Amino acid sequence: MVYFLLFFLTENFIPVENCTPVHSFIDDLIPFCEWFLIPYFGWYLLIIFSLVYFALYNVDNFKRLQIFIIVTQIVAMIIYIAFPNRQDLRPVVFPRDNFLTDCTKLLYSLDTNTGVCPSLHCAYSIGIASVWLKEHDASKLLKWFIVLFCISVCLSTMFVKQHSALDFFAALPVCLLAEIIACGSDWKNRIKK
């Protein structure tokens, strides 16, 4: 509830003109590609699938993922409030007109271009991949699929012009902090073995 309240406040009460634009030269090299909308939206299903699976089959990993998500959310909200930011990468005119570009227009209308750095899409994806890699009962094929899907989600944020490449790089230290807090004892146990 606290997260949703903070998200609502950052999205609705920090004017766009008060937000610092986030941009990198890498962004100029990445073309808009509507096909990346598929993994971008697939991210929501991945979160649900992962949380349900871990809730049913591995409560420890469920807790790890929840802690990871909470840490990244809190840090991101603090940054969004202390350093309001936005991206101005969205195309004015789409290079193609099709179902996916129509869906992208809908996405743009529902999700503002503020509160983007660090990217929570990327942070969650890294957390999900991390927890799945620790899942002993999952097959190598499933782990590979999830890791590759998480990579495609991170790339999708840039190809659908929802995030700058800097948003991805800013998510990395946030993920490291979340990893240490959520899985620190797990890594210590692995090192001791």
Side-chain angles (χ1 to χ4, degrees), residues 21-38:
V22 178
H23 184 267
S24 162
F25 74 93
I26 299 171
D27 303 324
D28 300 329
L29 302 174
I30 300 172
F32 170 81
C33 179
E34 68 270 22
W35 288 100
F36 276 94
L37 198 65
I38 296 169

Side-chain angles (χ1 to χ4, degrees), residues 151-163:
I151 291 169
S152 72
V153 169
C154 291
L155 289 172
S156 77
T157 65
M158 295 171 259
F159 277 94
V160 297
K161 301 300 180 180
Q162 278 292 92
H163 286 280

Side-chain angles (χ1 to χ4, degrees), residues 30-174:
I30 300 172
F32 170 81
C33 179
E34 68 270 22
W35 288 100
F36 276 94
L37 198 65
I38 296 169
Y40 188 87
F41 278 128
W43 175 79
Y44 296 98
L45 297 176
L46 178 65
I47 292 171
I48 293 167
F49 169 73
S50 297
L51 289 173
V52 168
Y53 175 89
F54 292 129
L56 294 174
Y57 299 107
N58 189 332
V59 175
D60 288 336
N61 275 348
F62 176 80
K63 290 176 184 175
R64 285 184 183 108
L65 184 54
Q66 286 288 22
I67 292 169
F68 196 101
I69 288 171
I70 290 167
V71 171
T72 56
Q73 289 283 14
I74 290 171
V75 173
M77 286 297 114
I78 291 169
I79 293 171
Y80 297 163
I81 292 167
F83 177 67
N85 56 74
R86 73 175 195 262
Q87 56 85 358
D88 299 322
L89 303 170
R90 294 174 173 180
V92 177
V93 177
F94 290 102
R96 291 161 294 282
D97 186 24
N98 55 43
F99 174 73
L100 289 174
T101 55
D102 290 341
C103 291
T104 305
K105 291 174 193 172
L106 178 63
L107 170 65
Y108 289 175
S109 72
L110 297 174
D111 190 7
T112 70
N113 64 334
T114 61
V116 293
C117 186
S119 166
L120 287 174
H121 253 73
C122 295
Y124 277 28
S125 297
I126 292 167
I128 289 169
S130 170
V131 175
W132 272 104
L133 288 172
K134 295 174 187 67
E135 177 57 36
H136 300 296
D137 293 333
S139 69
K140 286 185 179 180
L141 182 64
L142 179 60
K143 289 179 182 183
W144 270 106
F145 173 79
I146 288 181
V147 168
L148 290 174
F149 190 79
C150 288
I151 291 169
S152 72
V153 169
C154 291
L155 289 172
S156 77
T157 65
M158 295 171 259
F159 277 94
V160 297
K161 301 300 180 180
Q162 278 292 92
H163 286 280
S164 165
L166 290 177
D167 303 340
F168 165 75
F169 290 114
L172 296 178
V174 176

